[in-house]
Amino acid sequence: MTFLAPGFFFASLAVAIAVVALHFIVTRQPRAGILPTARFVPDLPATATARATRPSDIPLMLLRVLVILAAGAGLAKPILKPSRGAEARVILADVSRSSADSLELRDSVRALYRTHDALVVFDSSAHLVGAGVRDSIDALGSSQGRGNLSAALISAMRAASGLRDRADSIALVIVSPLAAEEFDAATDTVRKLWPGSARIVRVGVAADTSRARRKLGIVSHSDDPLQVTVSSLSNERAATGVIVRPTSNADSAAGQGRALIHWPESGRPPRAAARANRDTIGGVISGNALVVSAFERRWSYPADSIRGAAVIARWIDGEPAAIESPSGNGCLRSVAIPVSPVGDLVIRSDFERFVAALSRDCASVTSRIPADDALLARLAGAGGMASREAFRPRGDLRSPLAPWLLGIAIAAAIAEMFVRRRRLVAVPAASRASSGSRRAA
């Protein structure tokens, strides 16, 4: 058994020792002496404090020590140490929209999982599966969320901290199609926190990426400032979307996997509602592209109006600035970001990157574009399995013994009250008997 917070138990030991020491300091009646007269002696108990060779009120002392030690042990969160094996695994199971074949995913995870391994299921977020792991494996299926390897790797670190008492070495296994969209700017940094290599088990069917890419298009008038940004984007940096500015041409362009981007100059974007109070905000972000500038916010996306859609851009306070919804074999995007014709916004490189991020391929296409070999090599890493000593022990584990110990402390405290009350009743009776004997003498 070990304690997650041993400081509480050590403190309770010190207090218990002090309580025992106090019980060696007793209050007793002194030796009787002969006085010429007892006329001026008050009728009160005659007592004196002195040290004793054995503690007084042993039952009371034991109850007090029990209260202190039980409470300290309960607050220290005792847990039973499991038997430790040679190896354990942290398995990351990708259930994002990139996992096209759920059956292959379930079969792969089922073949890898062993008792006492940790299973982390992830898409746009990640969570550690607790009880009923095998039942959870049988229920694995693809979601509509975008995969986030950074979140999965962070959860893997936490899971490994929980396994350090069960195994000498911990292996990381990633079961995923490993689409390019699942990597972000933080993935390499988070991956370096895992001290060892990772085993890659690739599942799913990668899409055919050999289709001809088309240049980003825009349907607007020649004086539109956004024309400048679109014309400066190269075919490599931009995706294959079509930006539609006049609402009358909203259905003029669509293609296989192509995004039809509704970005009105002044009108209401699809699914948006007018803000009760217009304000100005200092930035907007899409993916890894951030633009810092003063934007007037006229429109917002209420939660009930974007049900079933994905947020692809946010204002810096977290509110949605652009959304995407599926449409046939492509997608429709609604953008509520004003583009000012005044200033250098449309020719800035950060705004160009932002427009390229907004016009990337639809989720149905990006979720199937596999990551390149360089990304996979960095994810796999080098070396062997990680040592248990490389992970910090978790302090947020639940102690099953703590409630019982705190219950014992409460019961002992109640019993101590009754024992102390009985003692207080017995002492005056003995004092009255002693006073009566003195008066009789």
Side-chain angles (χ1 to χ4, degrees), residues 84-374:
R84 195 163 70 225
E87 175 189 344
R89 296 173 179 173
V90 177
I91 303 174
L92 304 184
D94 185 354
V95 296
S96 68
R97 63 193 182 191
S98 302
S99 299
D101 193 342
S102 299
L103 179 59
E104 183 183 1
L105 175 69
R106 289 194 295 269
D107 290 342
S108 299
V109 175
R110 190 182 297 111
L112 289 167
Y113 179 77
R114 298 177 301 187
T115 305
H116 303 312
D117 286 348
L119 175 64
V120 175
V121 177
F122 74 97
D123 47 13
S124 57
S125 60
H127 71 276
L128 175 66
V129 178
V133 177
R134 296 193 182 276
D135 293 336
S136 299
I137 294 175
D138 294 336
L140 289 178
S142 301
S143 70
Q144 295 302 314
R146 176 182 176 181
N148 189 334
L149 279 169
S150 298
L153 291 170
I154 292 173
S155 294
M157 296 290 295
R158 289 177 53 82
S161 295
L163 292 178
R164 68 187 306 274
D165 292 330
R166 299 182 184 178
D168 294 325
S169 300
I170 302 174
L172 176 63
V173 182
I174 304 174
V175 184
S176 169
L178 295 175
E181 70 167 5
E182 300 184 85
F183 294 78
D184 56 33
T187 303
D188 285 343
T189 302
V190 177
R191 174 60 184 87
K192 292 176 182 178
L193 299 177
W194 183 276
S197 61
R199 177 183 173 186
I200 306 297
V201 179
R202 204 161 190 178
V203 298
V205 180
D208 182 12
T209 59
S210 61
R211 62 182 178 87
R213 299 186 63 84
R214 292 162 289 182
K215 189 174 182 179
L216 173 65
I218 183 170
V219 179
S220 182
H221 56 82
S222 59
D223 294 333
D224 187 351
L226 198 55
Q227 288 272 14
V228 179
T229 307
V230 173
S231 62
S232 64
L233 288 172
S234 66
N235 193 33
E236 289 74 24
R237 292 182 59 187
T240 60
V242 177
I243 299 175
V244 179
R245 299 284 273 173
T247 55
S248 58
N249 297 326
D251 298 324
S252 61
Q256 294 188 359
R258 259 190 135 180
L260 186 59
I261 306 165
H262 299 270
W263 196 339
E265 292 186 72
S266 58
R268 182 179 68 87
R271 296 198 181 191
R275 297 178 66 91
N277 297 307
R278 297 184 183 182
D279 62 357
T280 301
I281 195 164
V284 65
I285 185 170
S286 177
N288 297 325
L290 170 66
V291 178
V292 177
S293 185
F295 295 98
E296 181 188 11
R297 293 196 293 186
R298 299 176 55 195
W299 313 101
S300 65
Y301 293 98
D304 58 346
S305 70
I306 60 174
R307 190 172 291 110
V311 178
I312 60 172
R314 292 184 183 274
W315 300 111
I316 57 173
D317 63 357
E319 283 193 26
I323 62 173
E324 173 187 316
S325 56
S327 176
N329 57 5
C331 60
L332 299 177
R333 290 181 181 150
S334 173
V335 182
I337 303 168
V339 180
S340 174
V342 180
D344 62 346
L345 175 65
V346 295
I347 62 174
R348 284 166 43 182
S349 59
D350 57 346
F351 187 71
E352 291 180 4
R353 289 192 297 269
F354 181 79
V355 174
L358 281 182
S359 57
R360 63 180 179 266
D361 288 326
C362 297
S364 59
V365 174
T366 58
S367 62
R368 304 298 177 85
I369 299 176
D372 58 35
D373 293 339

Side-chain angles (χ1 to χ4, degrees), residues 53-72:
T53 56
R54 61 190 301 269
S56 64
D57 300 320
I58 294 180
L60 191 62
M61 181 192 70
L62 293 178
L63 283 174
R64 288 171 174 170
V65 170
L66 178 61
V67 170
I68 295 169
L69 292 181

